[in-house]
Each structure stands twice: as C-alpha cells, then as structure tokens.
Amino acid sequence: MSGEGDANVFVADNICFGFPGKRSVLDQVTFALKERHFHVLVGPSGAGKSTLLKLCAGLLNAKEGTFLLNGSAADCSQRLMQSVYMPQSDTLLPWRTVLDNVMLTLELQGKQSAEEMQERAMALLDSFGLRDCADAYPDQLSGGMKQRVMFARTMLKNVPLLLLDEPFSALDSLTRKQMQRWLLDVWQRDRRTVLMVTHDIDEALLLADTVLVLPSEPGETVQALEVTFARPRSFELIYEPAFVERKRLLEHMLLGGDNL
Ligand SMILES: Nc1ncnc2c1ncn2[C@@H]1O[C@H](COP(=O)(O)OP(=O)(O)O)[C@@H](O)[C@H]1O
Ligand SMILES: [Mg+2]
C-alpha cells in the first residue's frame, strides 16, 4: 500500500462525553483512523461504543476534545457531511420498496434527476445481489437481505468515512457468517475508511486492519491491535493458527491478563 494510503484521515483527540447526571463513559478518548483501512471497535457493553460512533458522525457534540479530518478540526456539521452512520436497529421505511429506500440517500442530496438516481441505485442493488428484490417491501425480506439494503443505502452516500454500529447483531449465527463474507467482498471492491462496532471477536479479526479496544474504565487508553493478514481474505482464515493467536491476544486485551 502507498504511503498516502496509510495517512491518518480521521483523528479523535482527547474526546470527553458524559450524559447529564451520569458518570462520564468517554473520558479523554484518543484514536486515529487510517485512510481506506477497516477499523473495528470492540469493548465492554455500556463502555460507550455507540456514543463514540455518534460523536464521530457529528450526531453528538463532544464536551471536550477535537476531531480532525485530514488534519483540520472538524465540527459536528463537517463530520455530518463527511461521514455516514449506520445505526444498529433497522431503520428502513416499511412503506417504501427496497429501491425507494435506497434512493432516499440520493433524494436527500437532491443533486440528481429521478432517472439518474434510479440508475445509480439499481447499479448498486445489482452489485449487492439485491436486483431481484428491488420492488419488494422491507417486511418481505429476510434479516440478511434487510441488512444488505441498509448497507446499500449507507454506502450510496458518497462520503469517505463509514461508521457502522453492530450491523450483524440481530442476525442468526449462520446468516451472520454469510454477511461477514459478503461485507468482506463488498469492502474489498469499494474500500473506504470504516469504523465498525462489533462484540464478535472472530468478526473483528476477519474484517479489520486495526482493532481498537475501548477500555471499560473512563480515562484508560484506547488500545490498537494491528491485523496484518493478507487480503483478499477468505473465511477459512479463522481456522489458521495465526488467527487463533491473534484471537487469544485480543481476548487478553479485552478481559485483562488474569483471565487468560
Ligand atoms: N441518552 C442517554 N442518557 C443517559 N445515559 C445514556 C444515554 N445513552 C446511553 N447512555 C448510557 O451510556 C452508556 C454508554 O452507552 P453506549 O454508547 O450505548 O454503550 P455501548 O454501545 O458500548 O454498549 C451506557 O451505560 C448507556 O446506558
Ligand atoms: Mg452500542
């Protein structure tokens, strides 16, 4: 990869955030995202992963600290413009077809004719394996297909930073594995800078270039684990000894030394 590809495109510098009347969950959080790398954020439940993603997306304002985009401070509005946030829950509109749900992203941008929007949305549905269900309504789809539509709607927003909050958490384990393979393939074709939350360690190591570990105690450092397995990666990787070794290390980072 070129030197340019390894540049820090997004930096969270000493971010603090607390909910009123509650102990701060995020206190002096610092991490960097590299251009076109896949970053996975893991950490204990309630540690503030979703809150941190919303802060990165510009949906929440940090109490203290700075976000930098390509080296310049980025306020909420700039982060909203430059990133897209995919929430954990299904937010497809039940009264719109798959095609119309996906086109919503383009409609909100308001830059293209109806014909152009339809053409772009159909091309993406095609590459996501969704052409045949373009006219279906969300409640006619399986969980995995719905999730693909959510991805299509998210990725149609032409921004450099994708923020994905536990995209597979509602799926059964087999569908989840299929979707992990699918996302590997999709991302390898359209590499953007990704920050994705998961609590699944196999998923983290299979997809990530870097795993960021959010600590359970406010004020502790975010740790980064580099995952250097060659790409394109295949799902068989999870059975390799090198993978199991990384998994052991990541579990150690998450649980602490005494729990090995
Ligand atoms: N709007 C809110 N007001 C008060 N507390 C909240 C609010 N949203 C989340 N929290 C709390 O803040 C903590 C972090 O939440 P969250 O970011 O959802 O954690 P995670 O995604 O890591 O599970 C949790 O304890 C949660 O209950
Ligand atoms: Mg969460």
Side-chain angles (χ1 to χ4, degrees):
M1 191 170 282
S2 70
E4 191 193 333
D6 285 343
N8 286 337
V9 66
F10 186 84
V11 175
D13 187 12
N14 270 307
I15 299 302
C16 299
F17 187 83
F19 293 106
K22 284 189 80 166
R23 186 163 165 251
S24 171
V25 280
L26 300 170
D27 185 21
Q28 297 192 307
V29 172
T30 295
F31 63 86
L33 305 182
K34 291 193 185 118
E35 190 168 22
R36 299 182 201 282
H37 280 221
F38 202 117
H39 310 78
V40 171
L41 180 65
V42 297
S45 183
K49 300 181 295 298
S50 295
T51 306
L52 189 56
L53 232 58
K54 287 178 198 159
L55 283 160
C56 294
L59 296 168
L60 291 172
N61 200 2
K63 205 168 66 181
E64 283 172 42
T66 316
F67 287 100
L68 302 168
L69 253 168
N70 295 314
S72 305
D75 63 13
C76 280
S77 309
Q78 283 156 327
R79 301 197 308 272
L80 271 172
M81 299 277 284
Q82 291 297 314
S83 68
V84 60
Y85 170 74
M86 186 167 126
Q88 200 169 340
S89 52
D90 164 14
T91 54
L92 296 175
L93 301 170
W95 47 273
R96 279 192 160 212
T97 63
V98 165
L99 178 63
D100 289 343
N101 261 288
V102 171
M103 283 214 323
L104 190 65
T105 304
L106 300 174
E107 286 170 24
L108 292 172
Q109 287 168 2
K111 288 183 190 156
Q112 292 170 308
S113 70
E115 222 168 51
E116 282 170 327
M117 288 192 292
Q118 185 150 341
E119 205 171 298
R120 269 194 69 194
M122 275 312 284
L124 191 71
L125 287 180
D126 209 13
S127 73
F128 278 25
L130 291 165
R131 174 170 279 273
D132 292 345
C133 61
D135 295 327
Y137 287 87
D139 60 8
Q140 296 174 292
L141 304 179
S142 66
M145 293 301 255
K146 263 191 205 170
Q147 209 55 32
R148 288 185 198 209
V149 179
M150 290 274 287
F151 270 106
R153 194 174 68 180
T154 303
M155 290 169 93
L156 209 52
K157 187 172 171 192
N158 198 14
V159 287
L161 179 59
L162 304 182
L163 302 162
L164 311 172
D165 198 353
E166 301 208 40
F168 308 135
S169 60
L171 304 176
D172 64 82
S173 69
L174 207 62
T175 309
R176 186 178 184 117
K177 284 189 168 56
Q178 286 169 341
M179 287 300 294
Q180 289 164 356
R181 290 177 204 210
W182 176 83
L183 182 60
L184 256 184
D185 183 49
V186 163
W187 181 76
Q188 278 161 181
R189 281 185 277 138
D190 174 14
R191 278 196 182 203
R192 287 194 239 172
T193 309
V194 173
L195 179 60
M196 180 180 118
V197 173
T198 184
H199 58 259
D200 181 325
I201 291 179
D202 280 344
E203 183 172 294
L205 292 171
L206 183 69
L207 295 169
D209 295 302
T210 307
V211 180
L212 300 169
V213 182
L214 198 62
S216 51
E217 287 301 312
E220 288 176 5
T221 320
V222 177
Q223 295 185 79
L225 176 73
E226 300 302 325
V227 186
T228 53
F229 303 124
R231 295 187 187 272
R233 292 181 189 166
S234 107
F235 201 77
E236 295 298 305
L237 184 62
I238 64 169
Y239 304 110
E240 306 262 336
F243 189 93
V244 176
E245 198 45 53
R246 284 274 104 172
K247 186 170 168 177
R248 191 178 152 85
L249 186 58
L250 182 54
E251 282 175 359
H252 180 73
M253 288 165 77
L254 272 164
L255 298 169
D258 298 339
N259 294 293
L260 256 190

